C-alpha cells in the first residue's frame, strides 16, 4: 500500500468544519483512499472512500486533488462526539485487500 | 452498530493458557479479517479469510491460528499466551474482495496476567 502522511493531532471548535489532510504522493492509479476513525478503543468506523472523484455521504466529504497525491476529509459541523483518531489509508486491490493502518490524526473537538 | 459481533468483550487469562476469540460477520459478508491493537503499536493486520479459505497473512505469530467455518463465522485461537499478547483484537468483515469497506466489530480486550 502507498504510504500516507497525516498530522499527529488537530483541534477543531465545536460546530465548525474539521478539515483533515492526508498526503499520499506515491499513490498508484488503482489505489483507493479510505478514511476510518476510532473513538476511544472502539472498533474502527468506516467513514468514506474514493478513487479520484470527490465523494460525500451523511458523515463527511472526501476531496481528492486532481493529481491524487493528497486528500482532505471534511466533517462539515464537528461535534464533541467526533473526537477520535482519524486514519487515512490507501488501499491496493491485491489478493488480500486488507487495510494497513498508520498512526492517524488525533482530532480533538473543543466546546 | 457495524453488524459485526465479537465475543467475549473481555477476557482475562494467565500466561501459558489458550483462548479462542469468536467473530460473526455481517450478514452476507464473505471476508473476515483479524487485527491486533496493542498499547504501544497501532492496528496490526493478522490474517484474512474469504469464504472459508485463508486469503492473506500479516504479522501473525505461529502461536496464533484462525479459521472460518461454513456458516462464515471465524475464530482466532491464541495459545501459549505471553504478557505481550495483551491487546485489543478486532474482527472485520466485508462483502467482497475488492473495494468493499471493512466493517469492524468492537473487539475483544485480552488481558494476560
Amino acid at each position: 500500500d502507498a504510504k500516507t502522511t497525516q498530522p499527529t493531532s488537530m483541534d477543531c471548535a465545536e460546530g465548525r468544519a474539521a478539515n483533515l489532510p492526508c498526503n499520499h504522493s506515491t499513490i498508484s492509479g488503482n489505489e483507493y483512499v479510505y478514511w476510518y476513525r476510532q473513538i476511544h478503543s472502539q472498533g474502527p468506523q468506516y467513514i468514506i472512500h474514493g478513487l479520484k472523484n470527490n465523494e460525500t455521504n451523511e458523515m463527511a466529504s472526501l476531496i481528492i486533488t486532481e493529481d491524487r497525491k493528497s486528500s482532505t476529509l471534511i466533517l462539515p459541523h464537528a461535534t464533541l462526539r467526533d473526537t477520535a483518531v482519524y486514519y487515512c489509508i490507501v488501499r491496493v486491490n491485491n489478493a488480500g485487500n486488507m487495510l494497513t493502518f498508520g498512526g492517524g490524526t488525533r482530532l480533538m473537538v473543543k466546546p | 452498530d457495524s453488524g459485526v459481533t465479537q465475543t467475549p468483550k473481555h477476557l482475562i487469562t494467565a500466561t501459558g493458557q489458550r483462548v479462542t476469540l469468536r467473530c460473526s460477520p455481517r450478514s452476507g459478508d464473505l471476508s473476515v479479517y483479524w487485527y491486533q491493537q496493542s498499547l504501544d503499536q497501532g492496528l496490526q493486520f493478522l490474517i484474512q479469510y474469504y469464504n472459508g479459505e485463508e486469503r492473506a497473512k500479516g504479522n501473525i505469530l505461529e502461536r496464533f491460528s484462525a479459521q472460518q467455518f461454513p456458516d462464515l463465522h471465524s475464530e482466532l485461537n491464541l495459545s501459549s499466551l505471553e504478557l505481550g499478547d495483551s491487546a485489543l483484537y478486532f474482527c472485520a468483515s466485508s462483502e467482497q474482495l475488492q473495494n468493499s469497506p471493512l466493517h469492524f466489530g468492537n473487539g475483544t480486550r485480552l488481558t494476560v496476567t
Side-chain angles (χ1 to χ4, degrees), chain B residues 3 19 31 34 41 50 57 60 92 99 102 106:
Chain B
V19 296
S31 275
W34 286 97
Q41 295 200 7
Y50 176 77
K57 235 173 183 176
I60 188 166
N99 299 328
L102 274 63
N106 276 326

Side-chain angles (χ1 to χ4, degrees), chain A residues 36 44 46, chain B residues 2-4 26 29 91-95 100-105:
Chain A
Y36 279 76
Y46 166 74
Chain B
S2 68
V4 177
R26 295 190 322 160
D29 285 359
C91 168
S93 71
S94 68
E95 289 180 359
S100 293
L102 274 63
H103 297 276
F104 285 79

Side-chain angles (χ1 to χ4, degrees), chain A residues 53-68:
Chain A
N53 296 323
N54 298 336
E55 302 287 345
T56 295
N57 62 22
E58 65 280 0
M59 287 183 70
S61 295
L62 173 60
I63 308 298
I64 303 175
T65 58
E66 195 170 336
D67 63 7
R68 304 211 321 122

Side-chain angles (χ1 to χ4, degrees), chain B residues 53-68:
Chain B
E53 300 290 327
E54 182 183 305
R55 194 76 186 187
K57 235 173 183 176
N59 299 322
I60 188 166
L61 300 172
E62 284 191 12
R63 300 184 284 109
F64 296 1
S65 64
Q67 53 184 326
Q68 186 179 27

Side-chain angles (χ1 to χ4, degrees), chain A residues 2 5 56 96 98 107:
Chain A
T5 304
T56 295
M98 79 291 290
L107 176 69

Side-chain angles (χ1 to χ4, degrees), chain A residues 72-108:
Chain A
T72 301
L73 179 75
I74 301 172
L75 308 178
H77 304 287
T79 71
L80 299 179
R81 287 179 295 181
D82 293 321
T83 293
V85 178
Y86 286 77
Y87 298 97
C88 168
I89 303 164
V90 172
R91 185 187 193 190
V92 67
N93 292 328
N94 58 19
N97 219 33
M98 79 291 290
L99 297 172
T100 301
F101 287 80
T105 296
R106 185 171 298 276
L107 176 69
M108 179 75 71

Side-chain angles (χ1 to χ4, degrees), chain B residues 12-20 63-64 77-82 85 110 112-113:
Chain B
I12 302 174
T13 190
T15 55
Q17 296 298 305
R18 172 189 167 96
V19 296
T20 297
R63 300 184 284 109
F64 296 1
N77 300 297
L78 314 176
S79 61
S80 302
L81 285 168
E82 302 174 359
D85 297 326
L110 173 67
V112 182
T113 62

